[in-house]
Amino acid sequence: MSENEVPQRLPADGDGTRCVRAGLPAPQPGQPFLPGPVFAAPYHLDPRHGPEAAPNGYGRPDNPTRRLLEAAIGELEGGECRVFASGQAAITGLLLGLLRAGDAVVLPADGYFPVRAFATDTLTGNGVRVLLAPTAGPYPSFDGVRLVLVETPANPGLDVVDLPALAERVHAAGALLAVDNTTATPLGQRPLDLGADLVVASGTKALTGHSDLLLGYLATRSAELVERFTAWRTNTGAVPGAFDAWLAHRSLATLDLRLARQSANAEALARLLADRADVTGLRWPGLPDDPAYPVASRQLRRMPGVLSFDLGDAERVARFLDATRLVSAATSFGGLHTTADRRAQWGDDTTAGFVRLSCGVEDTVDLIADVSAALDASA
């Protein structure tokens, strides 16, 4: 077995075991568990056979650090993975690499807003017909549609779609189903197991979870799609650097532990907020009375560490953030630190007081006490 060959993992391994071991090369005496990043643009070539003689010829298509990360994410998602420089690079690569003039695509009406902006600015100009549908439905007819993209749980509203049922409809119409798995992560759900053809996600968020890198990825079980998106990434150059790939792989090892604390914190915080008359519009798929619960409770293997609620207006949100000690005002989500983001300031179609809160890994009792006191102080 070569030094970068990844040994097969038993499917019976638990989440923690898979996260710790994913993508690691076979053990060799004197070598590290995870090799350090390989920094290279050109590599030495065989004088006669050129790049065909070795796996590395040039740094844009070839990097062993990146391949180990792809093996790791692929193990977790259950498909073959290609990583990109950011989540937006992955999702635009999906759309531009697959869709041609005359195609139709269905996109989330309530998902990540830059995707809709990209569709308006670029896809329609390329002759692609763009249809929008809310995550919870209703959906349009899929006749003549090339691709359906859903984000579940949706960001920031946290609605959930029944993936097996949707996949059946999409495939019956001859279309492909892609699922944005950013919020759930592959430990929360594996869309390829639920009927999806493609998974796309931002690894910037909970997957790597340390708020120190940008990353995106696509995963699929289709060799033809892997080839298509590999060529797209090579031709556009949308690759992550070696150090970011190494940081991401290192961070995967704690994914199971991080998600467990984040989900526990989200549940405790959701129950606190549900009892407060000064908080409205609470959404967390793990609450039995949440509209997404019937689907989420049977589809998600674990609930996300993200919830949303409304504090009435922008000024009260500001007072809340001024008063809190453990909740930082920041965009993005899924990191070690609890953060809150007033989404209207970024262009989301939300009310002025709508807050997306991402639970970190602080002690639950400390976080609950801090948020409770800050809500009291901001009322």
Side-chain angles (χ1 to χ4, degrees), residues 172-208:
L176 296 173
L177 176 62
V179 175
D180 187 327
N181 206 28
T182 301
T183 304
T185 82
L187 298 194
Q189 67 187 4
R190 299 214 312 176
L192 298 178
D193 291 344
L194 299 171
D197 302 286
L198 289 148
V199 173
V200 61
S202 169
T204 305
K205 299 178 173 65
L207 187 80
T208 59

Side-chain angles (χ1 to χ4, degrees), residues 143-335:
D143 291 341
V145 169
R146 170 69 168 140
L147 175 71
V148 177
L149 170 66
V150 294
E151 182 179 354
T152 181
N155 168 33
L158 298 174
D159 275 327
V160 174
V161 65
D162 185 329
L163 287 178
L166 181 62
E168 185 175 359
R169 281 192 57 196
V170 170
H171 294 153
L176 296 173
L177 176 62
V179 175
D180 187 327
N181 206 28
T182 301
T183 304
T185 82
L187 298 194
Q189 67 187 4
R190 299 214 312 176
L192 298 178
D193 291 344
L194 299 171
D197 302 286
L198 289 148
V199 173
V200 61
S202 169
T204 305
K205 299 178 173 65
L207 187 80
T208 59
H210 287 73
S211 307
D212 55 6
L213 60 88
L214 297 175
L215 189 82
Y217 68 87
L218 290 168
T220 181
R221 293 172 181 168
S222 163
E224 186 275 329
L225 291 175
V226 169
E227 184 177 354
R228 177 189 291 260
F229 293 118
T230 302
W232 170 267
R233 187 187 65 179
T234 297
N235 292 334
T236 60
V239 296
F243 189 63
D244 280 357
W246 181 84
L247 277 177
H249 199 164
R250 183 198 64 169
S251 300
L252 282 181
T254 60
L255 177 60
D256 176 57
L257 299 174
R258 290 185 280 108
L259 291 182
R261 175 60 67 85
Q262 289 168 339
S263 183
N265 280 347
E267 179 175 7
L269 191 55
R271 296 191 183 284
L272 168 73
L273 296 175
D275 290 336
R276 294 193 64 109
D278 58 342
V279 175
T280 62
L282 173 64
R283 293 299 307 274
W284 187 63
L287 288 176
D289 58 352
D290 188 274
Y293 181 81
V295 175
S297 60
R298 67 174 184 268
Q299 181 168 288
L300 293 176
R301 297 178 59 242
R302 61 179 82 198
M303 296 297 169
V306 181
L307 44 80
S308 63
F309 53 92
D310 202 307
L311 292 183
D313 56 58
E315 180 54 33
R316 190 183 176 205
V317 176
R319 293 197 305 270
F320 166 72
L321 292 172
D322 283 340
T324 183
R325 182 175 60 91
L326 298 180
V327 183
S328 299
T331 193
S332 196
F333 59 89

Side-chain angles (χ1 to χ4, degrees), residues 8 101 104 131 134 142 158 168 215 266 340 353 370-371:
Q8 293 296 309
L131 306 171
F142 296 142
L158 298 174
E168 185 175 359
L215 189 82
D370 179 71
V371 170

Side-chain angles (χ1 to χ4, degrees), residues 97-165:
L98 192 63
L99 300 172
R100 299 291 181 265
D103 287 341
V105 61
V106 178
L107 299 178
D110 53 353
Y112 188 48
F113 79 93
V115 176
R116 295 192 298 279
F118 176 78
T120 300
D121 296 341
T122 302
L123 291 184
T124 55
N126 290 351
V128 175
R129 184 164 61 99
V130 177
L131 306 171
L132 298 178
T135 300
Y139 285 86
S141 169
F142 296 142
D143 291 341
V145 169
R146 170 69 168 140
L147 175 71
V148 177
L149 170 66
V150 294
E151 182 179 354
T152 181
N155 168 33
L158 298 174
D159 275 327
V160 174
V161 65
D162 185 329
L163 287 178

